[in-house]
Amino acid sequence: MNTRVGFVGLGLMGAPMAANLARKGWTVTAWNRSPAALEDFRRLGGSAADSVEQLRDEPVIVFMLPDLAYIEDAAAGLFASWQSSPPAAGTAVVVMSSVSPTAVKAFGRRVLEASSGNAVVVDAPVSGGTKGAADGTLAIMAGADRDADFRRLRPLFEAMGTTVRLLGPLGSGSLAKACNQLVVGTTTAALAEAAELAERSGVDVAALFEVLSGGLAGSRVLEQVGPRIARKDYTPTGPAKFMHKDLSFVVDSADATGAAVPMARAGVELYAELKRQGLGDQDLAVVRQTISNLSRTGVLSDAEGTSA
């Protein structure tokens, strides 16, 4: 495939992802709201666009912004340009953010309309955190209405990740990411609860996690997030507030299919409490502080009559 790509969003995840593409021979033109990130990217060999609209003729445009509302806002000028002069047939818009499985389908229809049918959307959210983004070892879960679109984009994905799968039509990648976040969010919360219980009982948390890692409780979440929970190190590797959004997508999808998701519903409330406590910009491990605060108050601050 053509190795030119536009990349929108050079945040904690987007910057190392775009850098990997540039290092692996892709011609990457990026846009970011903050100019400092663009300067850093230029030093790595990438190019910078003054606006998202300037990316209109790239064969692939990747969006790595916090949610679809941000993507819609950033792409407004792009869509207006396409409505005046449609892009080349086969243009791909790749949503690599964690977004609503339902909303991304509507976004796909919006792109199709704006481009006079010449551009398609593929959702391809990622898992692996900032370390996986930097190492190029992300898990990439894709949804595409046509297998051919996924096959054409596979080299792009493999420049950023080592586990790349097509899960089904558009929206399937986002549903897979929602399931991923269900496991990550509730497991992190369980580890945080275990840490608080152990410490308040006089047990060393680091020693506890070492023992757990050798048994059935061992997991990648314990391996990567556990040390931060044990040290109470909440330096952001990604804002914890996004877990509330992601688990809300799980609940929305469950409501649409009639699936019971009691763990997800509990997680939504817990991470809503985390945001209410003003901890949302810190690392996901800060859910331990949320639970510590609840241990003092005994109730969720904005949920009447709900015990912690």
Side-chain angles (χ1 to χ4, degrees), residues 59-91:
V60 180
I61 305 173
V62 173
F63 283 89
M64 193 61 182
L65 297 173
D67 203 353
L68 269 177
Y70 292 85
I71 294 173
E72 289 270 13
D73 182 60
L78 174 72
F79 291 167
S81 176
W82 280 354
Q83 286 169 335
S84 299
S85 175
T91 297

Side-chain angles (χ1 to χ4, degrees), residues 7 9-10 14-16 18-23 26-51 54-55:
F7 202 104
L10 299 177
N20 274 324
L21 287 172
R23 277 195 293 267
W26 290 74
T27 302
V28 187
T29 304
W31 179 86
N32 191 67
R33 194 176 299 277
S34 165
L38 285 173
E39 288 304 316
D40 290 342
F41 187 58
R42 278 196 185 100
R43 285 192 285 272
L44 294 173
S47 301
D50 294 328
S51 67
Q54 287 186 3
L55 304 175

Side-chain angles (χ1 to χ4, degrees), residues 95-268:
V95 177
M96 301 195 78
S97 320
S98 299
V99 301
S100 162
T102 302
V104 78
K105 295 177 186 177
F107 181 71
R109 293 190 291 271
R110 170 87 171 93
V111 167
L112 199 66
E113 178 184 348
S115 67
S116 298
N118 286 355
V120 299
V121 172
V122 172
D123 63 323
V126 304
S127 181
T130 52
K131 186 178 189 305
D135 294 345
T137 57
L138 292 169
I140 299 176
M141 46 209 90
D145 286 335
R146 298 186 306 178
D147 289 357
D149 292 326
F150 171 75
R151 289 195 300 271
R152 183 163 57 91
L153 292 166
R154 187 164 193 140
L156 174 88
F157 298 147
E158 290 178 341
M160 297 180 282
T162 50
T163 303
V164 178
R165 297 288 184 275
L166 175 64
L167 279 302
L170 180 62
S172 300
S174 297
L175 181 62
K177 179 58 186 288
C179 292
N180 178 88
Q181 296 302 82
L182 171 58
V183 174
V184 172
T186 56
T187 302
T188 300
L191 290 171
E193 287 189 16
E196 279 297 299
L197 175 60
E199 185 172 277
R200 290 165 184 266
S201 303
V203 174
D204 180 80
V205 175
L208 170 67
F209 282 1
E210 182 180 356
V211 171
L212 294 182
S213 68
L216 191 58
S219 69
R220 189 69 63 85
V221 178
L222 175 55
E223 176 188 322
Q224 293 192 7
V225 187
R228 300 201 296 273
I229 291 175
R231 294 193 307 268
K232 301 181 183 180
D233 176 7
Y234 308 139
T235 305
T237 62
K241 62 187 176 186
F242 293 146
M243 186 56 73
H244 177 253
K245 165 182 71 81
D246 293 345
L247 291 180
S248 296
F249 295 154
V250 176
V251 172
D252 291 344
S253 297
D255 288 344
T257 60
V261 285
M263 296 295 289
R265 293 185 190 279
V268 166

Side-chain angles (χ1 to χ4, degrees), residues 258-278:
V261 285
M263 296 295 289
R265 293 185 190 279
V268 166
E269 185 50 51
L270 177 60
Y271 286 101
E273 174 67 15
L274 181 151
K275 290 168 62 180
R276 286 192 291 265
Q277 292 182 9

